[in-house]
Amino acid sequence: MTDLTGKIAIVTGAGSGIGRASALLFAEKGAKVIAADITDKVNDTAAENPEAITAMTCDAGSEEDVQALVAKALELHGDLHIFFANAGISGGFDGIFDQSVEEWEEILRINLIGPFLAIKHAGKAMADKGHGGSIICTASVAGLRSGAGGPAYTASKAGVVNLVRIGAQQLSGSNIRCNAICPGLIETGMTEFMYKMVRERGLEDKVGQLNPMRRGGEPIEIANAALFLASDDSSYVNGHALVVDGGLSSSHPFSKQKFGETAA
Ligand code: NAD
């Protein structure tokens, strides 16, 4: 059974959704967790398991704040084994002609520079300890092809997919693994507006119909993937972007009339 006993983990974006579910799961599996978020909702996450989880407010796209997070783990627990760089923003769905440079800079700062800072500072701390570790960054199916987010979001998540590849290479020989997760549609704070809208219109059964599982995902289903990548169960998985999307990205759009569906 997957066990994180004795591991020290940092999870960003832990005030809500995927980050919150992951911080709670890591703690349940035995890790000591620093749960970080830009909002104080992270205190509620820590209150669920105060023995194991310490809350810290931080901006995951700020170098100073990421350094402070790593320093906190070392100060409190004397070590660091896992960094889940998960904080992110969608930045809305305006098209390329309507997005400003300032919006692009902010989305890239949090979604792409944040994971870079995690690899830089957590990677250094883990390498100094000499025991290896696991850095996980949340990308998205939006990072694989267009159609699942705004332009800057999509570009930022594609950047994360390639960032973990270069991260794995740059950490070569350190036994520090660097991987990404590409969630599909998950019900969280980020997608709340969409779920609210379809529920108000009585269309909840339409959610997730584009993927073969025919449903949206839950935060715990991404947390389970993060747990796998965080733990020694994935000891030979490195430089990989793990897609957890119910099969959404497994196909190009196709004509059901032409090809049919086995279980339709
Ligand atoms: P969420 O809004 O529920 O959680 C995101 C958390 O990140 C929030 O608590 C927010 O306060 C925090 N955050 C935002 N900016 C921050 C910053 N600068 N510093 C620290 N914390 C910050 O949404 P979620 O879906 O759980 O998002 C988690 C990750 O999953 C994001 O990277 C998102 O892009 C990614 N993702 C989500 C979906 C989905 O369908 N929900 C799909 C693919 C990828």
Side-chain angles (χ1 to χ4, degrees):
M1 202 180 81
T2 307
D3 183 27
L4 296 184
T5 302
K7 305 282 190 194
I8 313 302
I10 293 170
V11 180
T12 69
S16 174
I18 292 166
R20 176 185 162 85
S22 301
L24 294 173
L25 183 63
F26 289 5
E28 185 192 314
K29 296 293 178 182
K32 296 286 186 204
V33 180
I34 312 281
D37 201 282
I38 202 156
T39 74
D40 58 14
K41 285 183 300 179
V42 73
N43 294 325
D44 299 337
T45 305
E48 297 264 322
N49 189 343
E51 295 271 296
I53 306 178
T54 304
M56 193 164 163
T57 48
C58 86
D59 179 348
S62 149
E63 182 153 32
E64 199 181 317
D65 283 15
V66 173
Q67 281 179 291
L69 264 182
V70 171
K72 188 72 167 179
L74 297 175
E75 175 200 318
L76 271 184
H77 304 297
D79 217 333
L80 180 64
H81 305 91
I82 299 156
F83 196 120
F84 185 18
N86 163 76
I89 58 170
S90 86
F93 292 90
D94 282 347
I96 251 172
F97 299 125
D98 298 313
Q99 278 193 326
S100 65
V101 169
E102 290 73 22
E103 285 169 314
W104 267 72
E105 284 173 345
E106 184 60 359
I107 293 164
L108 292 175
R109 187 182 74 78
I110 297 169
N111 292 3
L112 181 56
I113 295 178
F116 150 67
L117 294 171
I119 295 169
K120 179 178 175 182
H121 294 292
K124 174 79 172 58
M126 291 172 189
D128 286 348
K129 289 288 179 186
H131 53 39
S134 174
I135 301 170
I136 308 145
C137 303
T138 305
S140 169
V141 290
L144 304 177
R145 52 186 68 93
S146 71
Y153 182 81
T154 299
S156 73
K157 295 300 187 179
V160 173
V161 169
N162 226 15
L163 174 69
V164 299
R165 297 181 181 132
I166 186 70
Q169 290 296 323
Q170 298 257 305
L171 292 163
S172 181
S174 65
N175 199 29
I176 302 165
R177 297 177 294 108
C178 191
N179 293 292
I181 299 177
C182 297
L185 176 66
I186 311 297
E187 184 169 9
T188 66
M190 188 173 278
T191 53
E192 193 180 358
F193 74 97
M194 194 275 289
Y195 275 88
K196 189 164 174 278
M197 191 177 70
V198 295
R199 279 177 186 138
E200 278 168 7
R201 295 179 185 176
L203 298 172
E204 196 175 347
D205 60 346
K206 301 283 182 221
V207 172
Q209 292 304 299
L210 291 174
N211 76 59
M213 302 298 291
R214 296 197 170 161
R215 63 174 178 83
E218 298 296 328
I220 189 66
E221 296 182 287
I222 306 302
N224 282 328
L227 174 66
F228 168 68
L229 291 175
S231 75
D232 295 340
D233 291 355
S234 60
S235 54
Y236 207 52
V237 181
N238 195 14
H240 180 66
L242 178 61
V243 177
V244 187
D245 68 349
L248 176 69
S249 61
S250 62
S251 177
H252 292 291
F254 69 99
S255 161
K256 288 181 183 160
Q257 281 167 333
K258 194 169 169 196
F259 294 105
E261 279 182 298
T262 317

